[in-house]
Amino acid sequence: MATVLYITAHPLDPQSSYSLAVGKAFIEAYRKANPGDKVVHLDLYKENIPQFDADVLRGWEKLRSGSSFDQLTDDEKSKVASLAAVVDQFVAADKYVYVSPMWNFTIPPVLKAYTDATSIPGKTFRYTENGPEGLLTGKKVLHIQASGSVYSEGPLASLEMGYSYLNKILQFYGIQSIEAIFIEGTALKSQEQAPAIKEKAIARAKEVAKSF
């Protein structure tokens, strides 16, 4: 049995969000194709993912300096423990499905906070004499991303910093099996084509789910 983290980073619902609509279609098809697998939904707008603030940095420094966890302040304990739980859950999973819009050429802030929380030395990567080494080899990722214009190719490709960012981070973790489904061009002049763009992406998601 595989464990799948279904990670969504959109504040609306599948009726209002292209990315969530395609993500919903994917995960339903995946569950049908893999009834024995465990799917855990992380709605990042409902999760409490601590940011790397002063409490986190000071707490980590105290632990590195030899202090015990009990010697941390209450805020340090709470945030350090929360971040440890996030990365441990991430490391324990076998597959990851990220669902997000592209905002200002990149991912939403809640997803950036989540990638910070999972980028922990000794958990997802380690430092060696030959440089950093990813520790999550053999895992799989799908990223579903929606954007009003087309960024995966063409004249705007150099501005795409959503999927490209996640792709680099996940490869840094040692993950090589990374797929993407783009829902693009829904805000262009030909807006009447948006439903067809969404349906094409949904069909693609259902196909990918069969072999993911």
Side-chain angles (χ1 to χ4, degrees):
M1 181 184 76
T3 297
V4 182
L5 289 187
Y6 179 55
I7 305 156
T8 59
H10 200 296
L12 299 180
D13 54 48
Q15 288 71 45
S16 307
S17 160
Y18 290 110
S19 59
L20 290 180
V22 176
K24 180 174 182 287
F26 172 87
I27 213 66
E28 288 175 350
Y30 182 88
R31 283 190 170 111
K32 185 176 181 180
N34 303 274
D37 285 1
K38 179 181 179 181
V39 177
V40 179
H41 183 192
L42 297 180
D43 181 342
L44 297 184
Y45 276 89
K46 295 179 180 178
E47 297 287 328
N48 179 25
I49 309 294
Q51 297 188 27
F52 287 7
D53 62 7
D55 291 322
V56 170
L57 298 179
R58 287 171 181 157
W60 281 344
E61 181 57 32
K62 288 177 183 178
L63 294 175
R64 283 194 295 268
S65 299
S67 296
S68 69
F69 184 78
D70 289 340
Q71 291 176 297
L72 304 185
T73 67
D74 288 343
D75 286 340
E76 289 167 353
K77 288 178 184 176
S78 174
K79 294 175 184 179
V80 167
S82 292
L83 286 169
V86 169
V87 72
D88 286 345
Q89 179 189 51
F90 187 82
V91 169
D94 304 290
K95 303 176 184 180
Y96 312 92
V97 181
Y98 292 85
V99 180
S100 64
M102 181 194 287
W103 287 351
N104 300 316
F105 309 126
T106 190
I107 56 176
V110 291
L111 184 49
K112 176 57 168 64
Y114 184 74
T115 59
D116 285 343
T118 58
S119 299
I120 305 298
K123 296 289 187 175
T124 50
F125 70 97
R126 65 183 176 187
Y127 293 109
T128 73
E129 293 180 355
N130 298 317
E133 178 184 74
L135 299 176
L136 302 187
T137 56
K139 298 177 187 283
K140 300 179 69 174
V141 172
L142 172 67
H143 183 202
I144 298 171
Q145 177 175 277
S147 58
S149 293
V150 176
Y151 294 93
S152 65
E153 59 183 9
L156 299 179
S158 64
L159 299 177
E160 199 288 307
M161 295 177 284
Y163 167 72
S164 60
Y165 168 75
L166 270 184
N167 185 57
K168 288 180 175 62
I169 285 287
L170 295 167
Q171 287 190 45
F172 185 73
Y173 297 168
I175 302 173
Q176 297 301 317
S177 179
I178 304 172
E179 297 183 72
I181 296 175
F182 299 106
I183 312 107
E184 303 182 290
T186 54
L188 298 177
K189 291 182 179 179
S190 55
Q191 279 188 316
E192 66 274 7
Q193 296 179 12
I197 293 171
K198 180 174 79 170
E199 289 307 314
K200 182 178 179 180
I202 286 175
R204 171 64 178 153
K206 290 178 178 179
E207 284 299 313
V208 172
K210 296 176 182 178
S211 58
F212 184 73

